[in-house]
C-alpha cells in the first residue's frame, strides 16, 4: 500500500479508489460522506459548470463530470462494505433512499436553484442519517440552510452545513470514502475529531490537502 496523500494529527487522506482502499477507511467508527448521486438515472445535464471552468481557463471540462457520478454503483458498494454502523450521507431527493436503514431525513436548503433535471430546478438536497447520531443543540432542526461553496468543486458542501452534522456524529473516527475537496475532513479537524478520507481524483485530493 502506498503512503497517505496527506496526514496530520487529525486527518489522513488517501488518493485512490475507495473500494480498492477499503482497509484504510472501513475500520473507522462513523461514515459521513457525499457520494456520487447517480446523475444519469435522473436525466441531469452533466455539462453544467462548463462556464465556470471556461473562466478558469479550461473550457473542455464540465464541473459536473466528477468520477463515478453517473450511477449510484460506487456509493452502494461502499455502503455494503460499511454495513449497519452509524452513517450520514447526502443524496438526490429525486432518487430512492440509499441502501441503509434511514431513521432521519434532513434537508440542505441551498437558498438558490441547483440540481437540474425534470420540470423543476431543485433548491435542496437530501441528507440521510442512520441511528446513533445525537442531539448537540436544542435549536437544531431538520432543515439546514447555507449557500453552496463551489469555487473548487461543483458539489462542495459548506462548513456551515458540515460542522453541525459532524458534531452530531457518535464518538470515534470519521470516514469519508468520497472526500472530494475535503469538506468533511475540514469539519472533523475543526471539531477535534479524527478523520480518514479517500478521494479518487488527484485534483480534488490536492485541494483537500491544501
Amino acid at each position: 500500500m502506498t503512503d497517505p496523500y496527506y496526514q496530520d494529527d487529525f486527518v489522513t487522506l488517501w488518493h485512490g479508489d475507495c473500494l480498492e482502499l477499503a482497509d484504510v477507511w472501513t475500520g473507522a467508527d462513523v461514515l459521513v460522506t457525499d457520494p456520487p448521486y447517480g446523475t444519469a438515472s435522473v436525466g441531469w445535464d452533466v455539462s453544467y459548470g462548463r462556464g465556470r471552468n471556461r473562466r478558469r481557463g479550461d473550457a473542455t471540462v464540465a464541473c459536473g463530470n466528477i468520477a463515478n457520478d453517473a450511477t449510484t454503483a460506487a456509493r452502494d458498494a461502499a455502503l455494503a462494505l460499511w454495513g449497519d454502523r452509524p452513517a450520514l450521507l447526502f443524496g438526490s431527493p429525486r432518487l430512492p433512499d440509499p441502501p441503509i436503514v434511514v431513521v432521519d431525513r434532513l434537508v440542505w436548503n441551498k437558498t438558490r436553484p441547483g440540481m437540474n433535471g425534470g420540470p423543476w430546478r431543485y433548491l435542496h438536497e437530501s441528507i440521510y442519517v442512520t441511528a446513533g447520531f445525537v442531539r448537540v443543540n436544542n435549536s437544531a432542526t431538520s432543515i439546514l440552510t447555507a449557500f453552496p461553496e463551489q469555487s473548487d468543486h461543483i458539489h462542495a458542501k459548506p462548513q456551515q452545513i458540515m460542522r453541525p452534522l459532524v458534531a452530531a456524529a457518535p464518538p470515534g473516527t470519521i470516514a469519508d470514502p468520497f472526500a472530494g475537496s475535503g469538506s468533511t475532513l475540514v469539519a472533523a479537524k475543526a471539531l477535534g475529531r479524527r478523520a480518514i478520507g479517500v478521494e479518487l481524483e488527484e485534483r480534488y485530493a490536492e485541494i483537500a490537502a491544501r
Side-chain angles (χ1 to χ4, degrees):
M1 182 180 295
T2 60
D3 293 332
Y5 191 87
Y6 170 88
Q7 190 168 33
D8 61 30
D9 290 342
F10 291 96
V11 172
T12 303
L13 174 64
W14 298 83
H15 169 229
D17 187 324
C18 67
L19 302 180
E20 297 176 1
L21 294 173
D23 289 347
V24 307
W25 62 273
T26 54
D29 303 289
V30 189
L31 185 73
V32 178
T33 191
D34 181 23
Y37 285 6
T39 56
S41 58
V42 290
W44 291 349
D45 175 10
V46 295
S47 66
Y48 66 86
R50 196 178 300 279
R52 181 181 295 109
N53 272 340
R54 184 178 294 111
R55 290 191 295 273
R56 295 165 64 183
D58 185 355
T60 65
V61 177
C63 290
N65 293 340
I66 66 170
N68 295 323
D69 205 26
T71 74
T72 59
R75 179 202 71 178
D76 295 348
L79 290 175
L81 291 172
W82 186 251
D84 61 358
R85 289 174 289 164
L88 178 153
L89 61 150
F90 288 79
S92 167
R94 299 188 67 210
L95 289 173
D97 289 356
I100 57 175
V101 179
V102 177
V103 299
D104 281 305
R105 292 168 175 81
L106 312 181
V107 170
W108 172 29
N109 173 19
K110 301 191 288 187
T111 72
R112 65 148 180 80
M115 293 178 286
N116 297 320
W120 299 279
R121 293 189 65 197
Y122 277 66
L123 283 164
H124 70 285
E125 294 183 25
S126 297
I127 306 170
Y128 303 97
V129 189
T130 71
F133 286 73
V134 299
R135 182 189 299 274
V136 294
N137 186 336
N138 284 332
S139 65
T141 72
S142 60
I143 300 176
L144 295 84
T145 301
F147 194 81
E149 297 174 356
Q150 297 178 324
S151 59
D152 293 319
H153 191 297
I154 191 64
H155 299 307
K157 300 302 184 283
Q159 289 299 298
Q160 188 177 346
I161 295 291
M162 295 311 304
R163 291 190 189 186
L165 295 177
V166 171
T173 300
I174 303 288
D176 186 354
F178 303 99
S181 55
S183 298
T184 300
L185 309 180
V186 170
K189 183 174 180 177
L191 294 170
R193 300 284 299 263
R194 297 188 183 278
I196 300 168
V198 181
E199 173 50 37
L200 180 61
E201 299 190 69
E202 187 170 10
R203 56 177 171 155
Y204 295 135
E206 181 181 354
I207 292 170
R210 290 205 305 267

